[in-house]
Amino acid sequence: MMTINPTPIHDVILASASTVRKRLLSAAGISMVTTPAHVDEDAVKQAHKADGTSAVDTATALAEIKALRISGSAPGALVIGADQILVCGGEWFDKPPDMDHAKGHLCALRGQTHELATAAVVVRDGVRIWHHAETPRLTMRPFTDAFIDDYLAREGTDILSSVGAYRLEGLGAQLFSRIEGDFFSILGLPLLALLDFLRLHRVGPS
């Protein structure tokens, strides 16, 4: 009789397709696997916004939903879910679906201050055991349409994976006159708080 080995369970799973979040954790010495969670984010956001839920609470809820979706098939693992919502003038911005929308986002955000509601949740065996959220504030300078066109041409379609159509760690820094808050949270993950939690569970360098 042939014995079939069960699928190995990893200690840490990132329930996200984000290459930035994976890169941040890997660079900090965290060994993990990534398993993107398939969630209807638009439906969750619309429902929460209709109920008057804040952006930061909605981001936390989405992060938890993602982690729970993966936790069910990974007993014992620490599953990290994360989410980020950009808020400007009461409007919530998602990742732009195409370059025209990316330009529209940048036109709406220039000269304005916006917030990035950024949340992370850790779930184990279907139970949330940790969560943390931060809301960095960023102010874009009043750049020209020509600058936007040049910026988007340089960044290309890779920018479509970023909420707000910018990546602060690259050419996107040229868009801003001021930032307030944690740099890692701006990139999409409250990394320092998460690392504190992981060290308590003997994950990563201590």
Side-chain angles (χ1 to χ4, degrees), residues 151-165:
Y151 166 75
L152 292 174
R154 289 170 179 261
E155 287 285 66
T157 55
D158 287 347
I159 205 65
L160 301 181
S161 64
S162 302
V163 64

Side-chain angles (χ1 to χ4, degrees), residues 37-49:
H38 301 292
V39 174
D40 188 347
E41 296 188 31
D42 288 341
V44 174
K45 289 177 183 178
Q46 291 172 12
H48 279 70
K49 193 171 186 180

Side-chain angles (χ1 to χ4, degrees), residues 98-149:
D98 53 46
M99 298 301 281
D100 286 340
H101 281 83
K103 182 174 182 177
H105 285 190
L106 293 173
C107 287
L109 296 173
R110 65 179 165 186
Q112 305 294 321
T113 296
H114 65 265
E115 294 185 339
L116 290 172
T118 307
V121 169
V122 178
V123 168
R124 181 168 57 195
D125 295 325
V127 177
R128 185 175 80 177
I129 60 174
W130 178 87
H131 71 280
H132 183 83
E134 297 190 9
T135 54
R137 291 170 55 86
L138 300 88
T139 301
M140 283 192 178
R141 63 185 183 86
F143 39 76
T144 65
D145 285 353
F147 178 86
I148 295 177
D149 291 337

Side-chain angles (χ1 to χ4, degrees), residues 76-91:
L78 297 174
V79 183
I80 303 168
D83 195 76
Q84 185 177 66
I85 299 173
L86 188 156
V87 184
C88 184
E91 183 178 355

Side-chain angles (χ1 to χ4, degrees), residues 37-77:
H38 301 292
V39 174
D40 188 347
E41 296 188 31
D42 288 341
V44 174
K45 289 177 183 178
Q46 291 172 12
H48 279 70
K49 193 171 186 180
D51 289 340
T53 306
S54 68
V56 69
D57 286 343
T58 301
T60 302
L62 272 166
E64 183 171 359
I65 291 170
K66 294 173 184 177
L68 287 170
R69 183 67 56 88
I70 303 303
S71 180
S73 57

